[in-house]
Amino acid sequence: MSRPHIDNIKEQVLQALAEDLGGTCNPEKDITANLIPADSLASATIITREDCIVCGVDWVTQAFAIVDPAISLNWQVKDGDAVKANATLVTISGAARGILTAERTALNFLQTLSGTATVTAAYAALLAGSSTKILDTRKTLPGLRMAQKYAVTCGGGQNHRIGLFDAFLIKENHIYACGSIAAAVSTAKQQMPGKPVEVEVENLEELRQALDADADIIMLDNFTNEQIQRAVDMNNQKSKLEVSGNITDERLQSLARLGVDFISSGALTKHVQAVDLSLRVAMKAE
């Protein structure tokens, strides 16, 4: 997906700043920053201590702009850039109080979204040369759905459905409540013609039922590689096949060789290992 609208980014940053400032976005609530004279100026740099894929530029920019519009930022990178450890991402100049007040909120967004982009890039690299694409899931951090899905695209991945509104994903409980795979798929196509209809299956018999029902996409949940190969043969390119469950670095390349269309992994967004970043401040002479 494209970068979220700037209004959505601003709303996320405002909420994060309010968590730091007692429920308001008033920088005067930062009692530690108030130890510094109001007219003290500083410069700062944000560096990465490890190789990463950058994501979160606009969130950082908004954090400093909301705290103090006079703070200036000079970015050395853009979202999606691959950078090496110790690289400078941005230089910052302005009131010392404002820089320190916005620091943690800015870094929280940048390290989290860069973490998602970085692990996605690692997964995508393991699939290079194949037609299999890596997908995210709805297993995102609450409130950061759009941001993390954007980060996945910055890392070279693709988005699964955004939420519960834009595509059908018929799982075990839906099948049980509807009575059968055939009934669930038929109802979905009648109610929302044109919306993608995906069915999650747990065995080859359910796969056969999903194929007979003309599902657009079939998710093979926790299939072994041997079962996946049999599923690919049964499918014969009728539906798109997606593999999910127990996705590891070691397994990705073997799955790509089996000829599935997609591999989805919740780990891209729920097992986030934040990138190690640092903001360094230097006071300016009076």
Side-chain angles (χ1 to χ4, degrees), residues 96-113:
R97 281 187 180 183
I99 291 173
L100 294 176
T101 297
E103 172 186 4
R104 177 41 53 195
T105 293
L107 290 178
N108 282 349
F109 280 109
L110 190 60
Q111 68 186 18
T112 300
L113 298 182

Side-chain angles (χ1 to χ4, degrees), residues 24-260:
T24 176
C25 279
N26 179 4
E28 295 299 319
K29 296 290 186 178
D30 183 350
I31 60 175
T32 312
N34 286 343
L35 299 174
I36 304 167
D39 59 355
S40 293
L41 300 178
S43 61
T45 58
I46 295 178
I47 66 167
T48 176
R49 297 184 182 276
E50 58 184 311
D51 297 355
C52 70
I53 304 296
V54 175
C55 183
V57 166
D58 288 311
W59 285 262
V60 173
T61 299
Q62 282 297 311
F64 287 103
I66 291 168
V67 168
D68 183 352
I71 293 175
S72 64
L73 279 71
N74 181 21
W75 284 96
Q76 312 299 308
V77 296
K78 62 183 183 300
D79 286 344
D81 282 355
V83 297
K84 295 294 185 181
N86 300 314
T88 296
L89 307 183
V90 60
T91 58
I92 307 160
S93 182
R97 281 187 180 183
I99 291 173
L100 294 176
T101 297
E103 172 186 4
R104 177 41 53 195
T105 293
L107 290 178
N108 282 349
F109 280 109
L110 190 60
Q111 68 186 18
T112 300
L113 298 182
S114 294
T116 294
T118 300
V119 71
T120 302
Y123 277 35
L126 292 172
L127 297 175
S130 76
S131 60
T132 304
K133 306 300 181 185
I134 187 71
L135 302 178
D136 53 25
T137 71
R138 288 171 48 241
K139 297 174 182 177
T140 53
L141 299 177
L144 288 180
R145 171 71 54 81
M146 300 304 187
Q148 283 194 289
K149 283 187 171 284
Y150 168 64
V152 166
T153 63
C154 288
Q158 293 186 7
N159 298 138
H160 208 283
R161 61 178 180 160
I162 301 301
L164 298 174
F165 63 94
D166 57 328
F168 291 97
L169 179 47
I170 300 168
K171 308 182 82 169
E172 179 182 12
N173 288 332
H174 302 103
I175 295 167
Y176 177 77
C178 290
S180 68
I181 288 175
V185 173
S186 176
T187 302
K189 289 180 177 288
Q190 290 173 14
Q191 289 186 353
M192 301 288 286
K195 289 286 188 185
V197 179
E198 180 169 359
V199 178
E200 180 182 273
V201 301
E202 297 181 352
N203 53 59
L204 293 173
E205 171 55 27
E206 289 183 351
L207 170 64
R208 182 191 62 76
Q209 295 175 35
L211 288 170
D212 289 345
D214 292 326
D216 300 308
I217 309 168
I218 302 174
M219 181 190 294
L220 310 176
D221 185 41
N222 285 307
F223 275 43
T224 65
N225 281 20
E226 181 181 359
Q227 290 172 319
I228 293 169
Q229 186 62 72
R230 292 178 64 188
V232 170
D233 294 339
M234 285 176 60
N235 180 55
N236 196 27
Q237 299 186 329
K238 181 178 181 182
S239 299
K240 297 291 186 180
L241 292 183
E242 174 184 336
V243 174
S244 182
N246 193 30
I247 305 303
T248 62
D249 292 3
E250 295 75 18
R251 196 172 178 221
L252 277 169
Q253 290 177 309
S254 67
L255 290 175
R257 290 193 292 270
L258 295 177
V260 296

